[in-house]
Amino acid sequence: MKLSGAELSPSDLGMLRDLELRAETVPPRTDIIRHGDPTSNVHIVFEGLAFRYKYLPDGGRSIMAMLVPGDFCDLNIWILGRMDHSIATLSTSLIAAVPPDAMDRLLTRQSIARALWQATLVDEAILREWLVNLGRRRADRKLAHLFCELYLRLRTIGHAHGPNIRLPVTLEELGDALGITTVHTHRTIQLLRREGLIAQQGQILTIPDLEALMTFAQFDPDYLHLDLTRGN
Amino acid sequence: MKLSGAELSPSDLGMLRDLELRAETVPPRTDIIRHGDPTSNVHIVFEGLAFRYKYLPDGGRSIMAMLVPGDFCDLNIWILGRMDHSIATLSTSLIAAVPPDAMDRLLTRQSIARALWQATLVDEAILREWLVNLGRRRADRKLAHLFCELYLRLRTIGHAHGPNIRLPVTLEELGDALGITTVHTHRTIQLLRREGLIAQQGQILTIPDLEALMTFAQFDPDYLHLDLTRGN
DNA sequence: CGAAGTGTTGAAGCAAATCAATTTTCGTGG
DNA sequence: CCACGAAAATTGATTTGCTTCAACACTTCG
């Protein structure tokens, strides 16, 4: 499997594969790790979708990242000592837990250490683009931009089926990721549908013309650093 | 000097101090590195303020981070191979440039590698909080939140003078960091002044009652991970 | 089969954008 | 050191994207 777009040698991969033994199935909408948790295992998403989030004092929720298979959840906790946000699953997921001492062993390999750091920096690049998205785009572009990103990230790991991806998210979750209300998220989705930029059937999102959606959203895939991912 | 809140041994610090020889003075409002630049030197802010930013196709600008003395500018470029955003100075700054081979040498020390990774993760934590700020708070809280963060970060490195910090920013820059217009930024600052939450004289920002401003902004310093910084 | 969560729609209100004009400050060269 | 032009700050009037509130339909699942 791919690991956050890292370039690893076969022996590195072997070392990682051994960890897979510890993977467990986690139900949808379940916390993997919570804000305030002290140092513990580091988690990796093997299958399914997850998201980073934080609650505000007023009860609002902010979703700050989407995690796809191959992503590390919480290198933060291992390096910084505690979580400053929570992570939960969207769909039923297969989550691996790497104990701290195993992390220490992994990190002695400079190639792995560098790969993980690289993954961290890609996460950061995505976060910066989300910041642009929230701060400088209207709701319709925001939503289109998010859809472009998720489509490309999922396609890169082989989870797109032609123009379709499975996106098991509610309007509330989309809204919390875009900083808009559920009601407005709904109206905005309708708008994109009417424009023919997207189509939906249940959890399946269809992007009939990716170029068109990307243009509409001012989407430039540069920030995803997909070229770092081998073989796609 | 402190390095992004990292814990380093005296010999590590000695290794870093040698790099200071390459530091140069950069005028205000000058790019240190630009979006699209390929791998080159890694820069560190020794003195002055800088910020990360990106231009949008429509000409708008998004400011995605503030850099204070001790911060690394662009580990991105070294690890990811190219910049996905630009960095410019706000005030006259002393900027060190570390050549790629020097970086390689530094990174062979696991303590330094870890410190830099830690710095990257703190950057990311700040970025996440900015995302919350942009997505889920009204303009007055956004601005108050930004002021709280800058005050604490500057105080931590000894750049606060009692309740005062020097903030050489224009309304346009503040607005671009908060995702609001210059006009509205101005009105919001006036509001905070009227409420007695802040005061200003030229570039000096005064926060007479930090607790009050933090409460107003729903500010929780947790995300800054200031406890990682030794000696303050 | 009923309850809870999610999706859907309408109407009214508000925060922030937009547009426009004027004043103040600042940097630079004469 | 003052004069000048440009950048930044300031204020008002108007518009709009999004929120808020409210009600109802649909789906899903124990």
Side-chain angles (χ1 to χ4, degrees):
Chain A
M1 69 156 257
K2 291 202 187 67
L3 197 73
S4 299
E7 308 173 13
L8 296 175
S9 72
S11 83
D12 288 341
L13 286 171
M15 200 163 169
L16 282 168
R17 238 188 299 274
D18 294 341
L19 302 172
E20 192 156 7
L21 297 169
R22 296 168 179 275
E24 336 182 333
T25 300
V26 178
R29 271 81 189 184
T30 306
D31 281 340
I32 295 169
I33 192 165
R34 286 201 183 82
H35 189 157
D37 282 358
T39 301
S40 70
N41 296 333
V42 169
H43 299 87
I44 306 171
V45 179
F46 276 163
E47 285 301 329
L49 289 179
F51 62 101
R52 299 181 191 281
Y53 73 95
K54 207 187 259 194
Y55 279 111
L56 295 172
D58 60 23
R61 180 178 62 173
S62 182
I63 291 181
M64 302 166 299
M66 299 292 296
L67 301 175
V68 303
D71 284 347
F72 272 79
C73 296
D74 42 17
L75 288 169
N76 326 61
I77 203 173
W78 187 70
I79 297 279
L80 296 182
R82 67 173 186 283
M83 285 298 283
D84 53 35
H85 63 280
S86 303
I87 300 177
T89 55
L90 276 175
S91 51
T92 302
S93 303
L94 189 62
I95 306 291
V98 187
D101 60 301
M103 283 302 296
D104 285 325
R105 259 180 285 122
L106 282 177
L107 269 282
T108 57
R109 292 222 192 189
Q110 219 177 331
S111 53
I112 293 186
R114 193 183 161 115
L116 295 193
W117 192 3
Q118 198 176 75
T120 303
L121 286 170
V122 172
D123 276 2
E124 205 179 308
I126 293 176
L127 220 33
R128 274 192 295 268
E129 190 60 32
W130 279 43
L131 207 61
V132 176
N133 211 26
L134 282 200
R136 288 270 167 239
R137 283 191 259 262
R138 288 186 336 213
D140 49 359
R141 317 273 164 135
K142 285 187 195 183
L143 188 58
H145 199 280
L146 178 60
F147 284 158
C148 286
E149 176 184 312
L150 290 174
Y151 179 78
L152 285 186
R153 286 175 67 191
L154 288 172
R155 193 180 68 179
T156 301
I157 56 170
H159 282 232
H161 312 285
N164 307 312
I165 54 174
R166 199 172 85 87
L167 224 50
V169 293
T170 63
L171 292 176
E172 190 179 1
E173 283 152 356
L174 279 178
D176 286 348
L178 298 174
I180 58 180
T181 58
T182 306
V183 172
H184 199 58
T185 304
H186 176 244
R187 290 181 172 130
T188 305
I189 284 197
Q190 285 182 317
L191 190 151
L192 294 184
R193 271 200 299 243
R194 254 181 279 123
E195 299 287 329
L197 289 167
I198 63 165
Q200 276 186 130
Q201 301 163 61
Q203 300 183 333
I204 306 300
L205 175 75
T206 305
I207 302 179
D209 183 348
L210 183 59
E211 280 301 323
L213 191 64
M214 283 171 64
T215 303
F216 179 80
Q218 298 186 318
F219 186 89
D220 178 349
D222 190 47
Y223 74 96
L224 289 173
H225 295 272
L226 293 176
D227 54 313
L228 294 176
T229 305
R230 281 289 171 84
N232 205 326
Chain B
M1 70 155 253
K2 291 204 187 67
L3 196 74
S4 299
E7 307 173 14
L8 296 175
S9 72
S11 83
D12 290 339
L13 286 171
M15 202 164 171
L16 283 168
R17 239 187 298 274
D18 295 340
L19 302 172
E20 192 156 6
L21 298 170
R22 297 168 179 274
E24 341 180 328
T25 300
V26 178
R29 270 83 189 182
T30 306
D31 281 340
I32 295 169
I33 192 165
R34 286 200 183 84
H35 189 158
D37 282 358
T39 300
S40 71
N41 296 333
V42 169
H43 300 87
I44 306 171
V45 180
F46 275 163
E47 284 301 329
L49 288 179
F51 62 100
R52 299 181 192 281
Y53 72 96
K54 208 186 259 194
Y55 279 110
L56 295 172
D58 59 24
R61 180 179 62 171
S62 183
I63 291 181
M64 302 165 301
M66 299 293 296
L67 301 175
V68 303
D71 285 347
F72 272 79
C73 295
D74 43 16
L75 289 169
N76 325 61
I77 204 173
W78 186 70
I79 298 279
L80 297 181
R82 67 173 186 284
M83 284 298 283
D84 53 35
H85 64 280
S86 303
I87 301 177
T89 55
L90 276 176
S91 50
T92 302
S93 303
L94 189 62
I95 306 289
V98 187
D101 61 303
M103 282 302 296
D104 285 325
R105 258 179 287 121
L106 282 177
L107 269 282
T108 57
R109 292 223 191 187
Q110 219 178 329
S111 53
I112 293 186
R114 192 185 162 115
L116 295 192
W117 192 2
Q118 198 176 76
T120 303
L121 286 170
V122 172
D123 277 1
E124 204 179 308
I126 293 176
L127 221 32
R128 274 192 295 270
E129 190 61 30
W130 278 43
L131 207 61
V132 175
N133 211 26
L134 282 201
R136 289 268 167 238
R137 283 192 259 262
R138 289 188 335 219
D140 50 359
R141 316 275 164 132
K142 284 187 197 185
L143 188 58
H145 199 280
L146 179 60
F147 284 158
C148 287
E149 176 185 312
L150 290 174
Y151 178 78
L152 285 186
R153 286 175 67 190
L154 288 172
R155 193 181 67 178
T156 300
I157 56 170
H159 282 232
H161 311 284
N164 307 312
I165 54 175
R166 199 173 86 87
L167 224 49
V169 293
T170 64
L171 291 176
E172 190 179 1
E173 285 153 353
L174 279 178
D176 285 348
L178 298 173
I180 58 180
T181 59
T182 306
V183 172
H184 199 57
T185 304
H186 177 244
R187 291 183 170 129
T188 306
I189 284 197
Q190 286 182 317
L191 189 149
L192 293 184
R193 271 201 297 245
R194 253 181 280 123
E195 298 287 329
L197 289 167
I198 62 165
Q200 275 186 130
Q201 301 163 61
Q203 301 183 333
I204 306 300
L205 174 74
T206 305
I207 303 179
D209 184 348
L210 183 59
E211 280 301 321
L213 191 64
M214 283 172 63
T215 303
F216 179 80
Q218 299 186 318
F219 186 89
D220 178 351
D222 190 49
Y223 75 95
L224 289 173
H225 294 273
L226 293 176
D227 53 314
L228 295 175
T229 305
R230 280 287 171 84
N232 208 326

